Short mmCIF file of all heavy atoms in Angstrom, two decimals:
data_model
loop_
_atom_site.label_atom_id
_atom_site.label_comp_id
_atom_site.label_asym_id
_atom_site.label_seq_id
_atom_site.Cartn_x
_atom_site.Cartn_y
_atom_site.Cartn_z
N THR A 1 27.59 82.97 -18.56
CA THR A 1 27.68 84.17 -17.69
C THR A 1 26.22 84.38 -17.17
O THR A 1 25.25 83.86 -17.56
CB THR A 1 28.34 85.36 -18.47
OG1 THR A 1 28.53 86.36 -17.51
CG2 THR A 1 27.30 85.85 -19.51
N CYS A 2 26.21 85.32 -16.16
CA CYS A 2 24.87 85.50 -15.54
C CYS A 2 24.84 86.74 -14.80
O CYS A 2 25.83 87.38 -14.43
CB CYS A 2 24.47 84.33 -14.59
SG CYS A 2 25.56 84.19 -13.08
N SER A 3 23.53 87.27 -14.53
CA SER A 3 23.30 88.37 -13.61
C SER A 3 23.50 88.08 -12.05
O SER A 3 23.54 86.82 -11.84
CB SER A 3 21.88 88.93 -13.92
OG SER A 3 21.00 88.12 -13.20
N HIS A 4 23.51 88.98 -11.32
CA HIS A 4 23.53 88.76 -9.86
C HIS A 4 22.25 88.17 -9.30
O HIS A 4 22.13 87.81 -8.13
CB HIS A 4 23.86 89.98 -9.04
CG HIS A 4 22.80 91.07 -9.01
ND1 HIS A 4 22.49 91.72 -10.25
CD2 HIS A 4 22.05 91.55 -8.14
CE1 HIS A 4 21.39 92.59 -9.85
NE2 HIS A 4 21.19 92.44 -8.63
N ASP A 5 21.21 88.06 -10.18
CA ASP A 5 19.94 87.53 -9.83
C ASP A 5 19.98 85.82 -9.99
O ASP A 5 19.00 85.38 -9.64
CB ASP A 5 18.76 87.92 -10.66
CG ASP A 5 18.54 89.56 -10.42
OD1 ASP A 5 18.63 90.02 -9.21
OD2 ASP A 5 18.14 90.18 -11.42
N MET A 6 21.08 85.46 -10.27
CA MET A 6 21.29 83.98 -10.45
C MET A 6 22.42 83.47 -9.49
O MET A 6 23.38 84.34 -9.36
CB MET A 6 21.73 83.63 -11.81
CG MET A 6 20.56 83.59 -12.85
SD MET A 6 19.28 82.40 -12.39
CE MET A 6 19.43 81.31 -13.66
N THR A 7 22.19 82.45 -8.81
CA THR A 7 23.27 81.89 -7.98
C THR A 7 23.76 80.50 -8.46
O THR A 7 22.91 79.51 -8.37
CB THR A 7 22.64 81.78 -6.49
OG1 THR A 7 22.26 83.05 -6.02
CG2 THR A 7 23.82 81.26 -5.48
N PRO A 8 24.94 80.42 -9.01
CA PRO A 8 25.44 79.14 -9.40
C PRO A 8 25.94 78.30 -8.24
O PRO A 8 26.61 78.91 -7.24
CB PRO A 8 26.55 79.56 -10.31
CG PRO A 8 26.50 80.98 -10.74
CD PRO A 8 25.84 81.45 -9.46
N ILE A 9 25.49 77.00 -8.30
CA ILE A 9 25.98 76.13 -7.20
C ILE A 9 26.67 74.88 -7.66
O ILE A 9 26.01 74.32 -8.63
CB ILE A 9 24.89 75.73 -6.08
CG1 ILE A 9 23.68 75.21 -6.80
CG2 ILE A 9 24.28 77.16 -5.45
CD1 ILE A 9 22.53 74.68 -5.72
N TYR A 10 27.77 74.59 -7.12
CA TYR A 10 28.47 73.27 -7.67
C TYR A 10 28.53 72.27 -6.64
O TYR A 10 28.94 72.38 -5.45
CB TYR A 10 29.79 73.81 -8.02
CG TYR A 10 29.94 74.81 -9.14
CD1 TYR A 10 29.67 76.17 -8.93
CD2 TYR A 10 30.23 74.38 -10.43
CE1 TYR A 10 29.60 77.11 -9.99
CE2 TYR A 10 30.12 75.27 -11.48
CZ TYR A 10 29.89 76.51 -11.28
OH TYR A 10 29.84 77.57 -12.40
N LEU A 11 28.12 71.01 -6.93
CA LEU A 11 28.15 69.87 -6.06
C LEU A 11 29.63 69.61 -5.64
O LEU A 11 30.56 69.42 -6.30
CB LEU A 11 27.68 68.64 -6.73
CG LEU A 11 27.28 67.43 -5.90
CD1 LEU A 11 26.18 67.86 -4.90
CD2 LEU A 11 26.76 66.31 -6.88
N LYS A 12 29.68 69.29 -4.30
CA LYS A 12 30.96 68.97 -3.61
C LYS A 12 31.00 67.48 -3.59
O LYS A 12 30.01 66.69 -3.36
CB LYS A 12 31.05 69.57 -2.29
CG LYS A 12 30.91 71.05 -2.16
CD LYS A 12 31.03 71.45 -0.69
CE LYS A 12 30.98 72.80 -0.44
NZ LYS A 12 30.78 73.24 1.00
N ARG A 13 32.17 66.85 -3.51
CA ARG A 13 32.51 65.45 -3.08
C ARG A 13 31.75 64.42 -3.89
O ARG A 13 31.70 63.25 -3.50
CB ARG A 13 32.18 65.35 -1.59
CG ARG A 13 32.98 66.08 -0.68
CD ARG A 13 32.67 65.77 0.83
NE ARG A 13 31.40 66.14 1.17
CZ ARG A 13 31.05 67.52 1.52
NH1 ARG A 13 32.06 68.53 1.65
NH2 ARG A 13 29.84 67.95 1.87
N TYR A 14 31.34 64.84 -5.05
CA TYR A 14 30.62 63.85 -6.00
C TYR A 14 30.66 64.44 -7.39
O TYR A 14 30.19 65.66 -7.54
CB TYR A 14 29.30 63.38 -5.55
CG TYR A 14 28.82 62.08 -6.14
CD1 TYR A 14 29.21 60.97 -5.43
CD2 TYR A 14 28.17 61.97 -7.27
CE1 TYR A 14 28.67 59.64 -5.97
CE2 TYR A 14 27.78 60.72 -7.95
CZ TYR A 14 28.07 59.55 -7.21
OH TYR A 14 27.68 58.46 -7.62
N LYS A 15 30.82 63.71 -8.36
CA LYS A 15 30.78 64.22 -9.67
C LYS A 15 29.46 64.25 -10.33
O LYS A 15 28.61 63.28 -10.49
CB LYS A 15 31.66 63.39 -10.77
CG LYS A 15 31.91 64.05 -12.09
CD LYS A 15 32.77 63.17 -12.95
CE LYS A 15 32.88 63.90 -14.28
NZ LYS A 15 33.94 63.14 -15.19
N LEU A 16 29.00 65.60 -10.56
CA LEU A 16 27.62 65.80 -11.01
C LEU A 16 27.52 65.40 -12.43
O LEU A 16 28.58 65.54 -13.25
CB LEU A 16 27.27 67.29 -10.91
CG LEU A 16 25.80 67.68 -11.29
CD1 LEU A 16 24.87 67.11 -10.27
CD2 LEU A 16 25.76 69.31 -11.33
N ASN A 17 26.35 64.84 -13.02
CA ASN A 17 26.15 64.77 -14.37
C ASN A 17 24.70 65.25 -14.66
O ASN A 17 23.96 65.67 -13.69
CB ASN A 17 26.32 63.31 -14.88
CG ASN A 17 25.58 62.33 -14.05
OD1 ASN A 17 24.31 62.63 -13.72
ND2 ASN A 17 26.00 61.17 -13.83
N LYS A 18 24.23 65.04 -15.80
CA LYS A 18 22.89 65.71 -16.20
C LYS A 18 21.84 64.99 -15.46
O LYS A 18 20.80 65.61 -15.02
CB LYS A 18 22.61 65.60 -17.67
CG LYS A 18 21.50 66.34 -18.19
CD LYS A 18 21.41 66.44 -19.60
CE LYS A 18 20.17 67.41 -20.02
NZ LYS A 18 20.12 67.58 -21.50
N GLN A 19 21.92 63.67 -15.41
CA GLN A 19 20.70 62.85 -14.70
C GLN A 19 20.66 63.30 -13.23
O GLN A 19 19.59 63.48 -12.67
CB GLN A 19 21.03 61.40 -14.83
CG GLN A 19 20.66 60.84 -16.15
CD GLN A 19 21.83 61.27 -17.21
OE1 GLN A 19 22.95 61.44 -16.91
NE2 GLN A 19 21.38 61.53 -18.46
N ILE A 20 21.78 63.17 -12.49
CA ILE A 20 21.88 63.65 -11.09
C ILE A 20 21.34 65.19 -10.98
O ILE A 20 20.45 65.49 -10.11
CB ILE A 20 23.19 63.45 -10.42
CG1 ILE A 20 23.56 62.04 -10.52
CG2 ILE A 20 23.27 63.84 -9.02
CD1 ILE A 20 25.07 61.79 -10.13
N GLY A 21 21.87 65.91 -11.89
CA GLY A 21 21.43 67.29 -11.85
C GLY A 21 20.04 67.60 -11.91
O GLY A 21 19.33 68.40 -11.21
N MET A 22 19.32 66.78 -12.94
CA MET A 22 17.86 66.96 -13.09
C MET A 22 17.12 66.46 -11.92
O MET A 22 16.06 67.04 -11.53
CB MET A 22 17.39 66.11 -14.37
CG MET A 22 17.96 66.73 -15.64
SD MET A 22 17.75 65.58 -17.05
CE MET A 22 15.85 65.76 -17.08
N PHE A 23 17.62 65.39 -11.22
CA PHE A 23 16.92 64.96 -9.96
C PHE A 23 17.01 66.02 -8.86
O PHE A 23 16.05 66.34 -8.11
CB PHE A 23 17.47 63.62 -9.44
CG PHE A 23 16.69 62.91 -8.41
CD1 PHE A 23 15.93 61.98 -8.67
CD2 PHE A 23 16.77 63.38 -7.00
CE1 PHE A 23 15.29 61.28 -7.75
CE2 PHE A 23 16.16 62.70 -6.17
CZ PHE A 23 15.20 61.69 -6.46
N LEU A 24 18.29 66.60 -8.76
CA LEU A 24 18.45 67.66 -7.69
C LEU A 24 17.72 68.96 -7.94
O LEU A 24 17.23 69.47 -7.11
CB LEU A 24 19.95 67.96 -7.73
CG LEU A 24 20.87 66.86 -7.13
CD1 LEU A 24 22.36 67.35 -7.33
CD2 LEU A 24 20.72 66.66 -5.66
N VAL A 25 17.40 69.24 -9.28
CA VAL A 25 16.63 70.33 -9.65
C VAL A 25 15.25 70.15 -9.12
O VAL A 25 14.69 71.15 -8.56
CB VAL A 25 16.64 70.52 -11.12
CG1 VAL A 25 15.42 71.40 -11.66
CG2 VAL A 25 17.97 71.14 -11.74
#
């Protein structure tokens, strides 16, 4: 859960995993 000071974003059209996530970060 989170405050309104955080914006969760979810990858479209491709399955995210930790490795891809770390690169995108």
Side-chain angles (χ1 to χ4, degrees):
T1 188
C2 64
S3 77
H4 70 292
D5 294 326
M6 288 294 250
T7 303
I9 63 175
Y10 294 82
L11 191 63
K12 301 176 184 177
R13 297 183 292 277
Y14 201 90
K15 186 175 181 180
L16 188 66
N17 59 36
K18 189 169 186 177
Q19 286 73 35
I20 298 171
M22 290 173 66
F23 193 102
L24 291 172
V25 162

